Amino acid sequence: MLKKLAFTTALTFAAFTLQAQAQEPRRGGTIRFTAPYGASFVSNDSHVSNQIQDEIYGYALHGMLYKWDAKNGKPVLDIAESVQVSADGKTYTYKLRDNALFHNGRKLTSDDVIWSYTRIMDGAKNYPGARYVARIVGATEVQKGQAKEISGLKKIDDSSFSMTLTDKADPGYFLFQAQTAILPAKEAQQPGFFDKPVGLGPFKFVEHVPGSRMAFERWDKYYLAGKPYADKLVISPMGEAAARDVAFRNKEVDVSILGSTQYVAYKADPNLSKGILEVAEVFTRNMGMNPTFKPFSDKRVRQAINHAIDSDLIIKRLVRDKAYRAVSWLPLSSPAFDKDAKPYAFDPDKAKKLLVEAGYPDGFEFEWTATPNESWGVPIVEATIPMLAKVGIKVKVKPVETSALGGVVVGGDFQAYIWSNTSGPDTLTALKCFHSSTPRSSCNYTTFKNPAYDKLIDDASNEADPAKQLDLLKKANAFLQEEAPVWFFNYNKAVLAYQPWLHGLQPNSTELALQRYEELWVDTTSPAAK
């Protein structure tokens, strides 16, 4: 399977390379993008939101320490021009780009980087990017209110600084998200800053019309000469797949993330099928269970739910095979994925037996929080209801808007939820989400706590030998499968439809909807070419 995925990705990228070679990038025009995971954006402050919806505009507005290189499947430097690594692999010394300018014309400094990371660790704010910055020595002390400065960040001069990590790791794997965007320190503390935010990205902010669009214009002083190519960028939130379908067919938008229904229809269409990009993403769709709701505190109940649901049937019939069956937390592309591991078998009798052993012979009832998302929302929950009913478990659906789900989960206001969560690209970072020291606000949404699991992760964090570390991570992933803090549903196969006039898309496995806008361009056949 892994070889097949790698081969498919290689062919996909080769096709895009040939397409790019056919024409030279063109300057001008407007790129019309969609944000498909909600009817609105959460905030103009990229540090606030844990939604991919807001990352979509963050890639236009902001610069991060690293950016994801989809071609080679690895992080590369963004706002820094060089980095040196210490012998023990824990201290990184960066030299910032001389030509990295904020949209107000001010030059980026080390103070901006240090202030931004320190802000993210404000324990009173529960910023989601804290899960990444916490890998820096002294960051958790700031989060707990025990220090005001991150001791692992040291300013050398205005254009260079050092970062010391708690364990040997490549920070590029966890410091490329817009949740860790570098803001202008002095300006960002001024009243009204986020009404018209300033960043380091390829496009500067023009306006945000809530529920309608976020508009940007080309930043002429972007550090990459000649980029971005487009003059304008408009990102429209469209949470409903049907709405995206209509807008795409009417040529009102340049891209559309396809739901399962549209996936089947577009593949069958002789014209639309020519503009489809498929990528196996590092996301795991799951049902998280809150252990404060008594039945879910028992591992046997959580296992019973995994056995009671026919996941393969739902993936085939409802998701239309636009997914891969989940085995545990880590996705297929992870080096710690065990290709020999088997998913939970659909076995209602075993589920009933486990419920009896757990003290629930007559089952129980729970409330399941879900969004309208057709791939991991209410439609999926509705498909599981009769399956769970057969083993005595009754479900009451609690619908919420997609943009509100993150707040509900982080606040712990749920018995169960269904969501699509990042499970890569860095294996250790993904598995640390289940470490007892990781707060719910970062990514331990089920507040999973197990000393044996913590030890595996701690040992892996301290292991210098890559092979031994990988073995520990495999064991940790297998441990999660046994403990079943979630219902392991599927790993996402992302599908993006694009218009023939749009060029430069990247097969981004970390999230296909996140694109490097400075690489995109439209040819003269675009309705928005001027």
Side-chain angles (χ1 to χ4, degrees), residues 141-158:
E141 282 74 14
V142 172
Q143 187 177 44
K144 295 175 182 178
Q146 299 170 353
K148 293 184 178 180
E149 298 179 351
I150 299 176
S151 59
L153 289 175
K154 301 291 185 184
K155 177 181 178 180
I156 299 172
D157 54 41
D158 282 348

Side-chain angles (χ1 to χ4, degrees), residues 115-438:
W115 179 85
S116 295
Y117 289 161
T118 305
R119 178 187 192 241
I120 291 169
M121 294 310 299
D122 184 343
K125 301 295 185 180
N126 290 326
Y127 292 125
R131 64 189 278 196
Y132 306 115
V133 181
R135 302 285 290 275
I136 303 173
V137 169
T140 55
E141 282 74 14
V142 172
Q143 187 177 44
K144 295 175 182 178
Q146 299 170 353
K148 293 184 178 180
E149 298 179 351
I150 299 176
S151 59
L153 289 175
K154 301 291 185 184
K155 177 181 178 180
I156 299 172
D157 54 41
D158 282 348
S159 62
S160 56
F161 70 97
S162 66
M163 173 194 299
T164 301
L165 304 177
T166 57
D167 50 272
K168 184 179 180 179
D170 182 346
Y173 281 95
F174 46 88
L175 292 175
F176 69 88
Q177 299 87 351
Q179 293 173 358
T180 64
I182 306 305
L183 306 179
K186 293 180 180 180
E187 295 89 329
Q189 298 178 70
Q190 299 301 312
F193 172 81
F194 291 104
D195 292 335
K196 193 170 183 179
V198 167
L200 291 159
F203 288 88
K204 58 183 181 179
F205 181 91
V206 173
E207 66 173 352
H208 177 196
V209 181
S212 176
R213 66 185 180 276
M214 196 174 282
F216 303 86
E217 62 184 14
R218 186 179 191 273
W219 175 228
D220 290 325
K221 298 179 181 179
Y222 185 56
Y223 75 80
L224 289 177
K227 296 181 181 179
Y229 298 114
D231 289 333
K232 297 179 181 179
L233 168 68
V234 177
I235 305 176
S236 302
M238 293 185 184
E240 292 293 330
R244 296 195 301 275
D245 180 41
V246 171
F248 187 83
R249 290 176 183 270
N250 286 340
K251 302 180 180 180
E252 297 167 357
V253 296
D254 297 334
V255 298
S256 176
I257 291 290
L258 301 185
S260 53
T261 301
Q262 285 72 35
Y263 178 50
V264 174
Y266 279 47
K267 284 201 304 181
D269 188 292
N271 291 317
L272 295 176
S273 61
K274 297 175 182 178
I276 292 179
L277 176 59
E278 300 182 20
V279 172
E281 287 184 336
V282 288
F283 280 83
T284 300
R285 273 82 175 268
N286 67 97
M287 164 193 160
M289 294 172 258
N290 194 334
T292 61
F293 178 66
K294 187 178 178 181
F296 293 153
S297 66
D298 193 309
K299 175 176 71 175
R300 292 167 295 188
V301 172
R302 304 192 300 264
Q303 292 174 330
I305 286 178
N306 274 276
H307 282 299
I309 299 174
D310 190 345
S311 300
D312 288 323
L313 180 63
I314 296 174
I315 291 171
K316 183 175 181 61
R317 297 292 177 83
L318 198 57
V319 185
R320 309 292 183 91
D321 285 326
K322 200 183 80 68
Y324 307 95
R325 176 72 189 278
V327 177
S328 183
W329 190 249
L330 297 178
L332 298 166
S333 58
S334 171
F337 179 82
D338 184 356
K339 66 181 188 309
D340 296 321
K342 304 296 182 184
Y344 276 87
F346 174 53
D347 191 338
D349 290 335
K350 188 170 185 177
K352 291 179 182 178
K353 182 180 178 181
L354 286 166
L355 289 173
V356 170
E357 293 175 359
Y360 299 95
D362 300 320
F364 60 92
E365 181 176 342
F366 75 93
E367 186 178 74
W368 196 341
T369 300
T371 74
N373 189 291
E374 68 172 335
S375 298
W376 46 265
V378 171
I380 304 300
V381 172
E382 291 175 340
T384 70
I385 288 176
M387 300 176 186
L388 292 169
K390 288 182 179 179
V391 301
I393 299 176
K394 297 179 181 179
V395 175
K396 181 180 179 182
V397 181
K398 182 181 179 180
V400 298
E401 288 297 323
T402 304
S403 59
L405 180 61
V408 171
V409 173
V410 169
D413 184 22
F414 65 90
Q415 292 179 355
Y417 64 81
I418 186 167
W419 208 0
S420 179
N421 299 120
T422 302
S423 50
D426 179 56
T427 300
L428 181 58
T429 299
L431 292 179
K432 276 194 171 184
C433 282
F434 293 92
H435 193 285
S436 62
S437 67
T438 302

